[in-house]
Amino acid sequence: MIFHVLGIESSCDETSAAVVRLEGGKIQLLSDITARQEEVHERFGGVVPELASRRHLESLLPVVEAALAKAEIPYQSLRAIAVTNRPGLIGSLMVGVNAAKTLCYGLGIPLIPINHLEAHLSAVLLEGANLRFPLVGLIISGGHTSLYEIQEGWKDFRPLGHTRDDAAGEAFDKGARLLGLPYPGGPAMARLAESGNPQAIDFPRALPSRNEKDFSFSGLKTSLANYLKNHKEYSLPDVCASFQEAIVDALVQKTVAAVQRTGVKDLVVAGGVAANSRLREKLRMALPSSITLHIPPPRFCTDNGAMIAALGCVRFQQQEFVQGADLYGVEVSPSTEAKLARGKHAGK
Ligand code: KG4
Ligand code: ZN
C-alpha cells in the first residue's frame, strides 16, 4: 500500500505542514514547511494566544500550498489529512482544524485528529526508528513535562509522572526572562551555558527522592530570582549553565528511574527541550547500556507538521479517522483527554 498524508500543526506558535509517503510500512518525509512567529511574541516574553491565532490564519494556506508544492503532490493525491486537535491554544487549534475539515470535506477524504503530545514522541518514526514496545516516553516542551509507558501501536499512554507546576521548557523560558534573554529562552540559555560552569551555583533539584515520580520546577525559578537579587554582579554563562544543569539533572533522574521501574528496553524523548544537547549528553551517560535511547533530530523536537503526518499514518492504518458528515463534530481541546469527534467515529 502506498499513500500520502498531509500533516497540519497549529497548536501553539508554529504554523507547519508536511507531506509524508507511506510505502510498505515505511514513512518517508517528502516536505516539511514551518512558519515561525517568534518575532510576534518576543517582546511579550511568551506566546500571546490572540496574536498567535491571527498569524496562523494568515500563514496556514500558504504553508500548506508550499508543502504540497515541495512534495510535488497535488491535493487530489492525498489519502487523508492529519491535524493536531489537542492539546493546545484553542484559537490556534481552531485555525488548523477548520482548514483541515474544509479541505477534507472538499476533497472527500478522511481527517485524522492527532494528539500533539503523542505526535511529539512519534517523531522518531521519521528517522525509521526500530522500536520495542512497551516503551517509556518523556515529553518535554513549553507546556508539558510528562513520562508515559506506551503500548504497541502508540496506544494506552499510562502516566508515570508529571510536573506539578511549571513545564521544563517553561522553566527555561521564565529563567531566561529573569536574565533578560530573548524568547524562547531554552535555546538562548543553552547557547550561553556552553561557555559556563554548570557547578558554579548550586540551584535546587526539587523532589530528589527516588520514590517521587513527579517533577517540579517552580522552586528553581524562585531560587534564580533570589540569586539575582543577592548578586549584583555575576557570570551570565555560569548562571545559565548551572540553571540548565538543575533542569537536566531532574529530568535525567526521574526518567532513568522510570525506565528501570518499568523494565522497558526503549526510551523515546521528544518535545522542544529534547533539542537540548546537555540533556542528550547526560541521559546517554546515565542510561544502562541495555536501553536504547531515541531522540528525534532537533528540527523534529520543536513543533512541526512532519510528526503530525507521521502519527497520522499510524492512526489511519488503525482506522482512527473521521469522514463525511462526521467531520462537523471534530472538536478542539486544551487538554489531552478530548473526544476525537462528537459524531460517530470511523471503525468504532
Ligand atoms: O515542543 P515545543 O516546540 O512547543 C511546545 O509544544 O511547547 O517546545 C518549546 C519549548 C520552549 O519552552 C523552548 O524554550 C524549549 O522548548 N526549547 C529548549 C531548547 N530548544 C527549545 N529548551 C532547552 N534547550 C533547547 N535547546
Ligand atoms: Zn509541542
Side-chain angles (χ1 to χ4, degrees):
M1 177 168 47
I2 302 179
F3 61 77
H4 296 103
V5 172
L6 169 70
I8 297 178
E9 159 60 36
S10 73
S11 66
C12 189
D13 63 341
E14 262 113 21
T15 321
S16 187
V19 178
V20 299
R21 182 206 307 272
L22 185 77
E23 185 171 2
K26 284 198 76 134
I27 293 171
Q28 186 195 350
L29 181 64
L30 301 186
S31 65
D32 175 30
I33 306 286
T34 300
R36 303 198 180 278
Q37 310 183 355
E38 272 137 11
E39 83 287 357
V40 176
H41 306 287
E42 197 174 7
R43 66 199 163 103
F44 302 104
V47 177
V48 182
E50 172 85 356
L51 299 179
S53 347
R54 284 170 177 234
R55 187 50 82 91
H56 284 307
L57 198 55
E58 286 167 13
S59 308
L60 198 107
L61 286 178
V63 164
V64 166
E65 299 245 306
L68 290 168
K70 179 144 188 245
E72 297 182 12
I73 297 293
Y75 280 108
Q76 288 72 19
S77 298
L78 292 174
R79 185 68 185 81
I81 300 177
V83 63
T84 305
N85 79 325
R86 67 200 191 283
L89 301 170
I90 285 294
S92 292
L93 288 167
M94 277 169 62
V95 177
V97 168
N98 201 35
K101 278 192 191 194
T102 311
L103 286 170
C104 286
Y105 197 78
L107 294 165
I109 58 175
L111 180 149
I112 313 161
I114 294 290
N115 176 320
H116 179 86
L117 299 182
E118 295 177 5
H120 264 304
L121 292 171
S122 67
V124 292
L125 294 174
L126 294 161
E127 295 285 288
N130 193 7
L131 302 164
R132 293 161 299 179
F133 289 92
L135 50 80
V136 165
L138 169 69
I139 299 165
I140 32 180
S141 69
H144 298 269
T145 299
S146 303
L147 275 163
Y148 295 98
E149 184 178 355
I150 305 155
Q151 301 299 320
E152 187 73 46
W154 298 96
K155 292 281 187 186
D156 304 322
F157 282 60
R158 182 169 73 91
L160 299 175
H162 292 292
T163 181
R164 293 191 185 168
D165 37 59
D166 293 347
E170 194 179 357
F172 273 110
D173 294 339
K174 287 180 173 171
R177 199 173 174 187
L178 289 171
L179 292 165
L181 300 175
Y183 173 85
M189 208 180 260
R191 226 171 294 123
L192 281 157
E194 278 168 25
S195 55
N197 171 9
Q199 264 83 51
I201 305 149
D202 190 19
F203 286 121
R205 275 67 169 157
L207 313 175
S209 154
R210 261 190 77 82
N211 297 330
E212 179 49 69
K213 297 171 185 149
D214 284 342
F215 303 90
S216 166
F217 294 107
S218 68
L220 179 60
K221 177 190 61 194
T222 311
S223 166
L224 173 61
N226 287 337
Y227 179 86
L228 297 177
K229 215 181 318 161
N230 297 331
H231 297 78
K232 290 288 158 256
E233 279 181 28
Y234 56 84
S235 149
L236 186 56
D238 282 357
V239 173
C240 288
S242 304
F243 190 82
Q244 170 178 268
E245 202 73 357
I247 297 176
V248 166
D249 281 351
L251 292 172
V252 169
Q253 192 224 352
K254 303 292 174 195
T255 304
V256 171
V259 164
Q260 288 172 335
R261 218 171 33 245
T262 49
V264 299
K265 298 192 177 66
D266 285 47
L267 168 67
V268 176
V269 181
V273 181
N276 187 279
S277 45
R278 183 70 176 154
L279 173 73
R280 289 166 176 248
E281 182 190 334
K282 288 199 95 172
L283 250 184
R284 284 212 172 84
M285 286 189 310
L287 279 172
S289 59
S290 57
I291 308 295
T292 308
L293 173 64
H294 307 267
I295 306 185
R299 76 182 175 112
F300 296 134
C301 283
T302 49
D303 290 351
N304 65 87
M307 66 186 192
I308 306 302
L311 186 58
C313 289
V314 176
R315 296 287 181 247
F316 183 80
Q317 291 174 296
Q318 294 165 338
Q319 310 266 305
E320 294 251 349
F321 52 74
V322 183
Q323 55 192 339
D326 282 349
L327 286 168
Y328 304 161
V330 176
E331 293 179 332
V332 296
S333 169
S335 78
T336 51
E337 279 90 29
K339 287 172 284 178
L340 298 186
R342 212 181 279 131
K344 197 158 59 60
H345 204 195
K348 295 257 168 91

